[in-house]
Amino acid sequence: MSFRISHTVLFAAVAAAALLLFPDRSDAQDLAIVGATVHPVSGPSIENATVIVRDGRIAAVGSDVAVPDAVRRIDGAGKVVTPGLFDPNSQIGLVEVDLVSQTRDQRLADDDDPITAAFDPSVALNPWSTLIPYARSGGLTTVATTPNGGLVAGQAAVIDLAGETPDAMLVRPRVAMLASYGESGAAAAGGARGGAIVRMRELLEDARFWRANRSAFDRGQSRDLAQSRLDLEALQPVLEGTMPLIVRAHRPSDILAVLELAREFGVRPVILGGSEAWTVADRLAEAGVPVILKPLTSLPGDFEQLGARFDNATILHAAGVPIAFTTFDNYRANEITQEAGNAVRFGLPWDAALRAITLAPAEIYGIADGYGSIEPGKVANLVVWSGDPLELSTWPDAVVIRGRVQPENSRQKALLERYRSLDDTPRPAYDDGR
């Protein structure tokens, strides 16, 4: 218990100090990736290019960049360099084994109250999760680790997949509020979508009332409010438009209901899931609302996804809707390039697919000034690929996070070596792959 308390106090102090959005790391390496094809995402590709990394950040990129003496060189001849990949919806660092409740910290199981807006699961980040090196092995360098469950689940944080303490991983806490509508939101609110909208409207009205009458509330001289002070306080950035409200919704009527609620309260929505978002692409584009989706969703897994189709991302992009991709899978998150590659197969431009797993998530979470593209001054999260990163047979040759080349070990690789030979040779001791 003493460790749990001290850990929470320590992390709260760190989170409060996290206005240093992109902290430099004194242990970062100076690197030069030489002779590669670089896809900056923010601009056209650069052939035979060099990327210089200094003090954990990108110092220079171009085809005529001089390589400083005494820096580590990575030969990029015949290879491709992209920004580190970014999954905008993950529970990596919060979940280890789905069927073991003691290893799950992504939700509050409160059947009596489906609204837990103040919940910040980032205090429970586990830097030693075996899921981290495996995700990193596929080129993922950054994820938004998000709560789930209930009607309003809580607040997301952005983390880098490197570091031995929670504060070392943290990029920015409390970057978005997560909520559900459609079937899951209806179930949390009593069984009907109308009930979910009523609860959401009541919640936002009470948060707005609390902001205008805080002194009276503290004196006990205001009307009763449906939620706790902490929940209402956590919703203030949502009402101010500085924190996006990410709402899980699939069918068009649900998406339109979310857009109307957002318009009424002046909040900034993001649609998560959006299996049938293609049907209202024009409305989403008009409102400038991004959609976080899984491109390979095509089967009617439930009644709110009957219209799912492989070219959902293509239709949304053509209409001008900002899109980002996720796998919805903590254990196979490194397959995000396969999702993006299949979106290209069904008509999405290649550059748009790469953007959907790099710069687009950074823009959604308001950290594009430091993440998501290869530009001088940005954090040096980079991947060196053996070929086209959206091809299934391509794998990273090097993954760089905050200027450090990451180890290639993972638990999966350790198990492969342990059982590569099935003869009677004694097995090496267990290795967690780190």
Side-chain angles (χ1 to χ4, degrees):
M1 179 63 71
S2 62
F3 170 79
R4 196 177 289 269
I5 294 174
S6 62
H7 174 83
T8 302
V9 172
L10 172 63
F11 195 82
V14 171
L19 293 176
L20 295 175
L21 176 55
F22 313 119
D24 291 322
R25 301 294 173 184
S26 59
D27 59 349
Q29 300 164 309
D30 289 347
L31 303 170
I33 305 171
V34 181
T37 297
V38 174
H39 294 282
V41 178
S42 56
S45 62
I46 309 170
E47 300 292 334
N48 194 27
T50 295
V51 181
I52 304 296
V53 174
R54 188 175 294 118
D55 296 328
R57 293 179 180 268
I58 299 166
V61 56
S63 57
D64 56 354
V65 173
V67 179
D69 294 332
V71 299
R72 176 178 175 179
R73 288 185 178 228
I74 297 177
D75 183 8
K79 299 177 182 179
V80 172
V81 177
T82 70
L85 307 185
F86 190 155
D87 189 328
N89 180 73
S90 170
Q91 285 82 48
I92 291 176
L94 296 177
V95 174
E96 191 70 15
V97 181
D98 274 341
L99 296 180
V100 179
S101 61
Q102 294 89 341
T103 71
R104 301 195 309 265
D105 288 293
Q106 88 283 16
R107 66 176 297 172
L108 290 178
D110 189 344
D111 295 333
D112 295 327
D113 189 354
I115 295 172
T116 54
F119 177 48
D120 178 5
S122 66
V123 298
L125 284 170
N126 175 20
W128 295 97
S129 168
T130 59
L131 304 185
I132 290 174
Y134 187 56
R136 200 168 56 207
S137 71
L140 272 171
T141 62
T142 308
V143 302
T145 186
T146 58
N148 61 23
L151 185 60
V152 178
Q155 302 167 72
V158 174
I159 63 173
D160 280 334
L161 299 183
E164 296 188 358
T165 61
D167 63 294
M169 300 174 66
L170 194 65
V171 175
R172 180 187 280 183
R174 299 179 295 280
V175 293
M177 186 70 67
L178 274 292
S180 293
Y181 190 52
E183 292 182 5
S184 58
R193 285 170 165 83
I197 282 292
V198 167
R199 289 298 306 273
M200 288 290 291
R201 183 172 283 110
E202 177 187 46
L203 175 65
L204 293 172
E205 286 177 349
D206 279 2
R208 192 159 57 184
F209 177 88
W210 180 82
R211 179 175 60 185
N213 299 276
R214 187 177 305 187
S215 296
F217 177 88
D218 290 342
R219 295 193 304 269
Q221 296 177 338
S222 73
R223 64 174 175 82
D224 291 339
L225 301 177
Q227 293 305 127
S228 72
R229 174 186 60 81
L230 292 177
D231 285 334
L232 299 175
E233 187 172 16
L235 285 161
Q236 297 310 305
V238 175
L239 290 174
E240 295 162 3
T242 58
M243 174 187 283
L245 178 65
I246 299 179
V247 184
R248 183 183 291 266
H250 290 282
R251 79 183 192 188
S253 58
D254 295 341
I255 293 171
L256 294 179
V258 171
L259 296 187
E260 176 57 28
L261 187 72
R263 185 202 61 77
E264 179 181 347
F265 287 93
V267 305
R268 186 158 56 94
V270 176
I271 300 300
L272 176 63
S275 299
E276 298 182 351
W278 61 273
T279 61
V280 288
D282 56 339
R283 298 285 296 275
L284 288 163
E286 181 183 359
V289 173
V291 177
I292 299 172
L293 67 144
K294 176 181 168 67
L296 283 174
T297 299
S298 66
L299 297 176
D302 48 48
F303 281 100
E304 63 183 358
Q305 300 184 65
L306 297 178
R309 51 191 286 176
F310 279 132
D311 58 353
N312 187 14
T314 302
I315 296 171
L316 291 170
H317 174 74
V321 179
I323 56 173
F325 296 158
T326 184
T327 61
F328 288 109
D329 193 322
N330 299 316
Y331 306 97
R332 298 187 299 175
N334 56 15
E335 294 179 5
I336 197 167
T337 52
Q338 182 178 353
E339 296 284 342
N342 275 277
V344 174
R345 159 66 179 84
F346 290 98
L348 186 69
W350 191 94
D351 290 344
L354 181 62
R355 195 180 198 281
I357 54 177
T358 53
L359 186 56
E363 291 173 340
I364 288 172
Y365 290 110
I367 61 171
D369 53 342
Y371 281 75
S373 62
I374 302 177
E375 299 177 74
K378 289 198 171 185
V379 175
N381 285 6
L382 305 162
V383 185
V384 181
W385 304 88
S386 59
D388 183 342
L390 305 190
E391 289 286 349
L392 190 60
S393 59
T394 300
W395 211 247
D397 284 342
V399 176
V400 179
I401 300 180
R402 294 178 179 174
R404 291 195 63 84
V405 178
Q406 298 300 307
E408 297 182 1
N409 289 339
S410 69
R411 184 171 184 269
Q412 286 74 6
K413 286 188 176 181
L415 288 170
L416 170 65
E417 294 305 320
R418 181 179 176 88
Y419 297 106
R420 181 184 291 275
S421 172
L422 297 180
D423 58 22
D424 294 332
T425 304
R427 306 294 171 212
Y430 173 76
D431 183 353
D432 68 0
R434 297 182 69 94

